[in-house]
Amino acid sequence: MGVVDRGASGTHLAAREIVLCAVVGDNGRVKLYRDEAIVLRTHKLGEADRIVTLLTRNYGQVRAVAKGVRRTSSKFGARLEPFAVIDVQLYAGRSLDVITQVDTLAPHGRALGSDYSLFTTATAMAETADRLTEVPGEPATQQYLLLAGALRALADRRHPATLVLDSYLLRALAVGGWAPSFTECARCGESGPHRAFSAPVGGAVCMGCRPPGAASPAPETFALLGALLAGEWVSAEASEEKHRREASGLVAVYTQWHLERQLRSLRHVERA
Amino acid sequence: MSAYDGVVQELIDELGQLPGVGPKSAQRIAFHILSADTERVHRLATALTEVKARVRFCEICGNVSEEDQCRICRDPRRDGGLLCVVEEAKDVVAIERTREFRGRYHVLGGAINPIDGVGPDDLRIRELMTRLADGEVTEVIIATDPNVEGEATATYLTRMLRPMGIVVSRLASGLPVGGDLEYADEITLGRAFEGRRSIDV
């Protein structure tokens, strides 16, 4: 098979073949593929190259080499900035893929780089997406769509940045399989509302299941968390500052507990 | 996997640690050194130990220097009212090559990059603030890299410097000299439009 073999599930195979047909021309053996992607982060490589971590729509996370992009004469260096949504063509290399062409779909870099709190917020989202899609070759279309939507909301300043971040973190974890519960008890399923919150157990806990050291957030905070998870912006935006702060703290603890490591950028997020 | 004995392998291993030098290149360089005359090898060895022993960072601007203060900070002909903020010492050299700038520099030591754990406190921003406190500097030119991290660092600095009543400017982004407009990417071209200036004849 002359095409690149990425992601094994049947549904994605079809999607991949459609994408591949578009680029595999007369020479069917050329290992090129094309997809939409979000630039999560970049590393310097050698003299003038970069390794770019992409979250693609159909192939999951891809680490690819962008050659010569650090030179001022580079034609696509500007398109491979973090947070940019791009249409990218890659060549499947032996260890890392090589980026051959890039087109911009949404250049969020400008809007997010010129506002410090938006920049730090977007970085925390990109790092979370990076961690959640670490398994190479595993398609992560839902994570892609979620991050693309969150970055757009952030760049357009549609909602307050901290709410976008917390909502993104909760929903990204839910997609990843760590959906929190904010009404029923996360252990016994008893219907709520409950008064205690425990990140290790998975959200709200009833008085009977409450482990030692569980937090006791305000009922309004529970309501805000529920709204953020469901994407109910009207009620989320009606919340008070102190409940937003409390919710952010709980979301940070919940995220880092379930990702089993610290998010380095979360500490630097500037909450306006 | 050591193919050679003792010191030869040690040399190859050490050379292989250098950036851009793979195992094969390391072996080639090692054998080049072996075949070179003693005088040249001695000069190389001296240069290596001297650079480590003598070079340090300028206590004012953070640039590399052999003295406590670098050549540029000591030069009285430099304009003390202009300060150019750069990410790395390499950027000082790049700007010096233009011969356009006659002020002094401040090297931050990188750009804000939270995903790698680099926040504002990890850069030499506090030193910059101390330097600006005496009021001698009237304009700060922010010359961080034109990428998202550099842009965010510039935004952060601007926010801190504006209340101090200092003129803050940012290097322009735009078309490279000698290039064709049709080949410019849309982001750079957009910036060039944004930063266009009127021509005074």
Side-chain angles (χ1 to χ4, degrees), chain B residues 43-56:
Chain B
R43 276 209 303 276
L44 175 66
T46 319
L48 284 174
T49 44
E50 284 288 285
V51 79
K52 213 46 207 161
R54 300 232 309 256
V55 173
R56 55 200 131 166

Side-chain angles (χ1 to χ4, degrees), chain A:
Chain A
M1 175 159 128
V3 294
V4 53
D5 208 358
R6 250 175 214 293
S9 81
T11 51
H12 289 285
L13 194 74
R16 190 176 74 223
E17 272 164 3
I18 294 164
V19 176
L20 283 164
C21 286
V23 287
V24 176
D26 298 337
N27 185 354
R29 293 173 65 90
V30 173
K31 293 187 276 183
L32 285 175
Y33 64 104
R34 182 176 161 185
D35 204 354
E36 283 173 28
I38 300 168
V39 181
L40 298 181
R41 61 189 300 188
T42 61
H43 299 273
K44 289 181 182 178
L45 174 72
E47 193 78 7
D49 307 342
R50 269 185 211 284
I51 294 180
V52 184
T53 308
L54 300 169
L55 177 57
T56 64
R57 194 185 181 115
N58 299 308
Y59 305 107
Q61 194 184 108
V62 171
R63 278 160 60 83
V65 180
K67 295 204 165 158
V69 289
R70 279 155 62 203
R71 291 185 223 279
T72 49
S73 58
S74 165
K75 272 201 303 168
F76 55 64
R79 298 179 186 142
L80 289 171
E81 292 270 84
F83 321 130
V85 185
I86 52 174
D87 186 351
V88 61
Q89 180 169 296
L90 298 120
Y91 173 84
R94 210 167 296 161
S95 57
L96 290 170
D97 296 354
V98 180
I99 296 175
T100 55
Q101 282 181 38
V102 186
D103 239 337
T104 305
L105 296 177
H108 294 315
R110 177 69 174 171
L112 301 175
S114 58
D115 184 312
Y116 190 67
S117 75
L118 293 188
F119 167 74
T120 50
T121 306
T123 312
M125 298 200 302
E127 189 180 353
T128 309
D130 185 3
R131 297 267 181 262
L132 283 170
T133 57
E134 260 172 341
V135 185
E138 191 174 282
T141 308
Q142 266 187 294
Q143 291 287 4
Y144 169 85
L145 294 173
L146 191 62
L147 182 62
L151 287 173
R152 199 177 327 116
L154 207 58
D156 296 350
R157 297 165 192 261
R158 225 175 286 164
H159 311 291
T162 71
L163 293 185
V164 175
L165 174 63
D166 292 337
S167 175
Y168 169 77
L169 291 176
L170 291 175
R171 290 155 91 174
L173 283 168
V175 170
W178 292 282
S181 163
F182 295 126
T183 44
E184 290 87 34
C185 171
R187 181 172 285 163
C188 68
E190 192 188 305
S191 57
H194 299 292
R195 301 287 307 275
F197 177 92
S198 166
V201 177
V205 275
C206 67
M207 292 320 278
C209 298
R210 181 193 168 131
S216 312
E220 292 90 341
T221 307
F222 266 127
L224 172 59
L225 287 167
L228 289 173
L229 179 62
E232 291 159 1
W233 289 104
V234 179
S235 61
E237 281 177 356
S239 61
E240 282 176 48
E241 186 53 43
K242 63 176 180 189
H243 299 128
R244 288 185 192 181
R245 254 202 310 272
E246 192 172 36
S248 293
L250 295 176
V251 171
V253 170
Y254 188 85
T255 307
Q256 304 197 74
W257 175 271
H258 290 285
L259 286 178
E260 292 179 0
R261 66 179 99 183
Q262 207 168 355
L263 283 173
R264 285 202 275 195
S265 47
L266 212 50
R267 187 165 62 88
H268 296 289
V269 171
E270 193 180 64
R271 299 188 187 263

Side-chain angles (χ1 to χ4, degrees), chain B residues 112-158:
Chain B
I112 297 174
N113 192 352
I115 211 162
D116 287 332
V118 182
D121 298 340
D122 304 306
L123 304 174
R124 299 181 69 250
I125 291 177
R126 208 175 304 118
E127 287 87 338
L128 175 66
M129 292 301 152
T130 326
R131 253 183 109 174
L132 296 174
D134 65 1
E136 194 196 348
V137 175
T138 52
E139 181 178 352
V140 170
I141 302 162
I142 303 177
T144 49
D145 288 345
N147 51 32
V148 171
E149 291 85 12
E151 225 40 74
T153 311
T155 313
Y156 183 84
L157 287 177
T158 311

